[in-house]
């Protein structure tokens, strides 16, 4: 991976990042202060802006000059020579590899019968090629599954998301399994749908009974006191 950085008079950096891999396609993106602004989709031959729309409604109108598809394509074409050179220089040096860290969690608060998403977040792995698979109650699932592209981290590793759209039902068990060259066996994370069924009837009934009992004791005490102090003292 190589990059080119442009610095302004202010403390900001605009960086062109070109990822070259000997076992996969090249990736090109533009970053502003280490945050991705644009990446290049070579299959569709276009720039894809990743600036949130609530910040910029039409990022191409403002950032159009930042991303240049033809320039990005030249960087991609240069990858073959770069990779060949690097592999020749490192023939006897084993490639560093980092195992993935996987977390499985729901996108929103889980409610019975309400559609939600499970996110399998795989982070800090290298090289950037993994396989992610899903199961529901032990059966493979492919419908409702989406997979993001690879995103680079600052430490030269990568992260990736896989999302499964589902409707929670009591007792369902989902798994996300990750395969990577650094793992001796596939790594699986498990998520189970659980709902608490607390019956408030007896508690409410007991609470009302206790309140009524206390009111009864209070009323009785008041009547007794009134009866005691309400007597007329006979005159001697």
């Amino acid at each position: 991976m190589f990059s080119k950085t442009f610095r302004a008079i202010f403390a900001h950096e605009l960086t062109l990042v070109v990822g070259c891999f000997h076992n996969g396609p090249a990736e090109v993106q533009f970053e502003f202060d280490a945050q991705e602004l644009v990446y290049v989709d070579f299959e569709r031959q276009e720039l894809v802006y990743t600036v949130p729309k609530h910040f910029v409604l039409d990022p191409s109108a403002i950032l159009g000059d930042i991303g240049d598809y033809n320039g990005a394509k030249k960087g991609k074409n240069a990858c073959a020579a770069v990779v060949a050179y690097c592999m020749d220089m490192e023939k006897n040096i084993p490639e560093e590899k980092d195992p993935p860290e996987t977390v499985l969690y729901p996108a929103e608060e889980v409610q019975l019968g309400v559609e939600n998403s499970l996110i399998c977040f795989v982070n800090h792995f290298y090289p950037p090629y993994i396989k992610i698979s899903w199961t529901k109650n032990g059966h493979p699932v492919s419908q409702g599954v989406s997979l993001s592209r690879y995103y680079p981290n600052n430490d030269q590793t990568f992260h990736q998301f896989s999302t499964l759209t589902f409707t929670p039902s009591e007792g369902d068990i989902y798994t996300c399994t990750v395969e990577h060259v650094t793992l001796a066996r596939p790594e699986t994370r498990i998520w189970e749908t659980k709902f608490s069924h607390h019956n408030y009837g007896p508690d409410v009934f007991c609470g009302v009974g206790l309140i009524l009992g206390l009111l009864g004791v209070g009323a009785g005490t008041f009547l007794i006191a009134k009866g005691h102090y309400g007597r007329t003292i006979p005159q001697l």
Side-chain angles (χ1 to χ4, degrees), residues 164-221:
L164 171 64
T165 301
F166 77 113
T167 301
S169 298
E170 182 68 38
D172 282 346
I173 298 177
Y174 295 86
T175 69
C176 168
T177 300
V178 176
E179 298 178 52
H180 189 256
V181 67
T182 59
L183 300 175
R185 59 180 61 86
E187 186 176 84
T188 299
R189 292 288 180 266
I190 302 173
W191 188 87
E192 182 176 358
T193 308
K194 292 183 179 180
F195 297 94
S196 60
H197 300 282
H198 185 77
N199 187 353
Y200 293 96
D203 292 343
V204 173
F205 176 79
C206 293
V208 172
L210 177 61
I211 293 172
L212 292 176
L214 291 174
L215 289 175
V217 172
T221 303

Side-chain angles (χ1 to χ4, degrees), residues 39-58:
Y39 75 88
V40 183
D41 188 327
F42 289 107
E43 291 186 1
R44 293 186 296 176
Q45 299 184 356
E46 64 180 14
L47 302 175
V48 180
Y49 294 88
T50 55
V51 179
K53 290 187 176 181
H54 58 272
F55 286 127
V56 181
L57 292 178
D58 184 11

Side-chain angles (χ1 to χ4, degrees), residues 51 137 150 184 195 224 226:
V51 179
N137 299 327
Y150 296 99
F195 297 94
I224 292 172
K226 181 178 181 181

